[in-house]
Amino acid sequence: MGKLILPIFAVLTLGLMPVNNQIYASEDVTDPLPEDPVVLISGLQTRGVNNAGGSVGTDEFVELYNASEMTVSLDGWRLKFTNKSGSSSRFIAEFNDDPALELHYEIEPGEYFIVSRESYLAEADFFITLGSTLGLNYNDGTLQLLDESAAVVDMVGYGMPEYYLGAPAPPPAAGQSIHRCFNGDDIVDTRDNSHDFHVSETPQPGLKQACTTAQDEIEDDEETDTGSSSDSPCEEVVISEIFANPEGAATGRQFIEIYNPTTDIIDLAGCGLQSTHNDNIYWFNDITLSPGSYRAFYDYETDVWLTISSGGTVFLLNSDTDELYSASYPAAMPDDAAWAWLDGDDWALTYTPTPNALNEILPLRPCPEGQSRNPETNRCRNVVTATSSLIPCEPGRERNPETNRCRNIAPTTSELADCGPGRERNPDTNRCRKIAAATSELVPCGPDQERNPETNRCRRVGAPNDGTIAGVKDIKVESTGTPLSWWVAGVVVLLAAGYGVWEWRYDIRSLISRRRRPQATSLN
């Protein structure tokens, strides 16, 4: 059977609507799902034991089974996953034949077809590469199988999905799977996901697993058991989980789960469920609970509702409406959180509701898709994508191992272009530079010149020390003055002298008068 690695992960949104507790894709089909589909979704695993954080894992598979008596071609068929709220969908596998490569996808009668990551199940019939995930959320979602005409052939909703058949199947815990079992040669298909799918502690894809219904176990027990039955058959039953506040619309998604902790099959007939929200009582009719099994009852089938804001109490009653067991849940439960029984009188809040399965305590809200919880800070962080799933770097670029980003490849010296004539590669900067010319290649100096050893340039040879200065000549300096300038200078001097005489005329006159006056002769 052909195998193909297909890197396709188209994220699409598809309008879906539940009808009579079933799911129909309004864009795909107009009639109910086929009562006897030729190919069934027979099993799936959402994560391995090492996938502890985030909301999706890598150890995943989807198992298909051909329940018909003819070979079925899967050419053009697809697997589509829808998240718990129904707000987004994605195709996780598309089977397209390739005659050129002699690839033909088909299932023989009574055989399985396995879809998985190559890193998980090397023997799978179809390999798919989708970055870090295959596309199945851990705890909640709807998986559909569509044929070549986009008609929905089969589907399974697990956990707390928006869409399912009958009631949702239990979500598999880490390292577990859910699967259909066989009664003889016939695979179980009642069109009720909660009844058709069972949790397997050890996933065994591609292998038929026998199952025994609770009624069969009761009949076998009646043939060998000579003891009398209890007057109150439900007195050993425990209320194990209460889910009052699903995110979004609560109607049709609230549930009360009960658990059989004994090693005997318990017939629930004559017992009932009630809550403090109203006076409605849901009576169990023709329902049995296998040893160690869980059973979730949803509000749409019981008409027993749960109060969200103020909390409340749930009761398990006998046929006389006497209280056999009760469990109270707190007020204002967070969205998508359940009140889960641990043991004895111990209860805890969990963000992992597990209808029809063993309780799994997750005290913190799950991280969104593509994120995982940081064990040091307890906060969600983006999942580091493996280098192998990154877009290859362009030619001439390489992946930086420290930042995981592309960078230019540092060229080696041998890859650099040759420097031109007369130039060489600088070993310090890797750039071209002029080659320093040797002395023998220099142009000879002229007469009376010599080579300066410091600058390598020519200079004049110094004259002998004979007391004379060689080559020194008198240089005639021409006067730069003109006759006009001399006249101008003389006029300026005369004007200055005249101005001084005018200013000091009285002083000059007084000085002259004193010099002319005769000195007086003293008389005795």
Side-chain angles (χ1 to χ4, degrees):
M1 195 172 295
K3 299 180 180 180
L4 178 65
I5 297 178
L6 183 64
I8 297 177
F9 195 83
V11 178
L12 302 176
T13 301
L14 186 63
L16 301 173
M17 55 180 295
V19 180
N20 297 328
N21 301 332
Q22 292 190 348
I23 176 173
Y24 306 121
S26 59
E27 294 183 4
D28 299 336
V29 294
T30 55
D31 298 326
L33 300 180
E35 294 183 1
D36 297 315
V38 294
V39 178
L40 293 168
I41 300 173
S42 53
L44 60 87
Q45 179 180 354
T46 64
R47 55 176 163 165
V49 293
N50 296 323
N51 302 136
S55 60
V56 288
T58 55
D59 295 350
E60 302 174 307
F61 72 81
V62 176
E63 179 188 78
L64 306 179
Y65 178 75
N66 184 355
S68 71
E69 297 180 355
M70 60 183 180
T71 300
V72 178
S73 171
L74 297 179
D75 185 24
W77 290 41
R78 294 176 290 177
L79 283 171
K80 188 182 73 172
F81 176 81
T82 303
N83 65 358
K84 64 178 295 183
S85 64
S87 60
S88 67
S89 301
R90 54 181 174 261
F91 290 115
I92 65 172
E94 296 186 15
F95 313 115
N96 296 309
D97 289 352
D98 191 340
L101 299 177
E102 297 184 354
L103 293 176
H104 301 281
Y105 299 107
E106 56 186 21
I107 313 180
E108 301 293 333
E111 296 295 333
Y112 289 98
F113 187 91
I114 309 298
V115 177
S116 174
R117 290 176 59 91
E118 187 175 18
S119 60
Y120 180 49
L121 297 179
E123 70 279 9
D125 300 294
F126 186 90
F127 296 138
I128 187 165
T129 302
L130 296 173
S132 61
T133 67
L134 174 62
L136 298 177
N137 287 10
Y138 280 177
N139 304 308
D140 312 273
T142 301
L143 181 65
Q144 293 176 292
L145 176 64
L146 283 65
D147 64 15
E148 70 279 4
S149 65
V152 180
V153 176
D154 191 25
M155 67 189 66
V156 55
Y158 61 92
M160 290 297 298
E162 184 73 15
Y163 310 111
Y164 44 83
L165 292 175
Q176 298 180 347
S177 65
I178 56 175
H179 69 280
R180 297 178 188 265
C181 54
F182 281 79
N183 283 327
D185 295 330
D186 299 326
I187 191 169
V188 174
D189 179 29
T190 65
R191 315 312 282 163
D192 187 326
N193 295 155
S194 65
H195 294 159
D196 295 346
F197 285 85
H198 304 267
V199 173
S200 175
E201 297 290 339
T202 304
Q204 296 177 309
L207 296 178
K208 296 181 180 180
Q209 303 182 48
C211 60
T212 304
T213 64
Q215 185 61 40
D216 292 336
E217 294 180 8
I218 290 177
E219 294 175 356
D220 293 339
D221 188 62
E222 288 178 350
E223 294 177 357
T224 57
D225 187 10
T226 57
S228 59
S229 60
S230 171
D231 293 336
S232 300
C234 299
E235 61 184 8
E236 299 295 334
V237 175
V238 174
I239 297 174
S240 55
E241 190 171 3
I242 302 172
F243 188 65
N245 190 19
E247 186 176 8
T251 303
R253 301 178 62 197
Q254 292 182 334
F255 70 79
I256 302 168
E257 181 190 73
I258 60 176
Y259 168 61
N260 178 4
T262 72
T263 57
D264 300 323
I265 300 171
I266 296 179
D267 186 354
L268 299 177
C271 301
L273 284 176
Q274 188 180 37
S275 75
T276 52
H277 180 83
N278 54 29
D279 295 331
N280 297 337
I281 299 177
Y282 174 74
W283 297 104
F284 304 113
N285 294 315
D286 299 327
I287 297 177
T288 58
L289 202 58
S290 300
S293 63
Y294 298 81
R295 175 66 189 275
F297 294 89
Y298 288 83
D299 53 10
Y300 68 82
E301 59 181 331
T302 64
D303 206 26
V304 174
W305 308 96
L306 301 172
T307 304
I308 298 175
S309 58
S310 60
T313 302
V314 176
F315 305 98
L316 180 65
L317 309 175
N318 63 14
S319 57
D320 296 328
T321 66
D322 295 328
E323 178 184 324
L324 297 176
Y325 191 93
S326 66
S328 299
Y329 59 96
M333 290 283 290
D335 288 351
D336 275 355
W339 192 239
W341 176 73
L342 302 178
D343 192 13
D345 295 330
D346 295 331
W347 289 74
L349 183 145
T350 177
Y351 279 98
T352 306
T354 54
N356 303 310
L358 177 68
N359 291 339
E360 182 177 345
I361 303 301
L362 184 66
L364 299 174
R365 188 180 297 276
C367 294
E369 292 187 43
Q371 293 188 344
S372 62
R373 192 162 299 282
N374 186 330
E376 298 179 359
T377 64
N378 233 4
R379 295 182 178 181
C380 294
R381 61 182 177 184
N382 292 332
V383 176
V384 178
T385 306
T387 305
S388 58
S389 63
L390 297 174
I391 299 175
C393 296
E394 299 174 353
R397 295 170 67 83
E398 64 181 357
R399 182 114 8 229
N400 186 332
E402 297 179 358
T403 64
N404 232 4
R405 295 181 178 179
C406 292
R407 64 182 179 187
N408 292 333
I409 298 175
T412 60
T413 305
S414 59
E415 297 174 346
L416 298 173
D418 293 334
C419 296
R423 298 173 68 83
E424 65 179 356
R425 183 75 55 190
N426 186 332
D428 295 331
T429 64
N430 228 8
R431 294 181 178 179
C432 292
R433 65 182 178 186
K434 289 184 179 181
I435 299 175
T439 305
S440 59
E441 299 174 352
L442 297 175
V443 179
C445 295
D448 300 328
Q449 289 185 333
E450 65 179 357
R451 183 76 56 190
N452 186 333
E454 297 179 357
T455 63
N456 227 9
R457 294 180 179 179
C458 292
R459 66 182 178 186
R460 188 177 299 276
V461 178
N465 189 10
D466 56 359
T468 63
I469 301 176
V472 177
K473 296 181 181 181
D474 292 334
I475 301 174
K476 180 180 180 180
V477 179
E478 298 293 338
S479 174
T480 58
T482 64
L484 178 61
S485 63
W486 286 106
W487 279 105
V488 172
V491 171
V492 171
V493 172
L494 290 175
L495 290 175
Y499 178 77
V501 172
W502 174 259
E503 286 291 332
W504 297 328
R505 63 185 183 276
Y506 297 108
D507 296 331
I508 294 174
R509 183 184 302 169
S510 176
L511 178 61
I512 293 173
S513 297
R514 285 197 301 270
R515 286 188 180 277
R516 289 179 177 178
R517 184 182 302 164
Q519 297 181 352
T521 303
S522 62
L523 298 178
N524 294 325

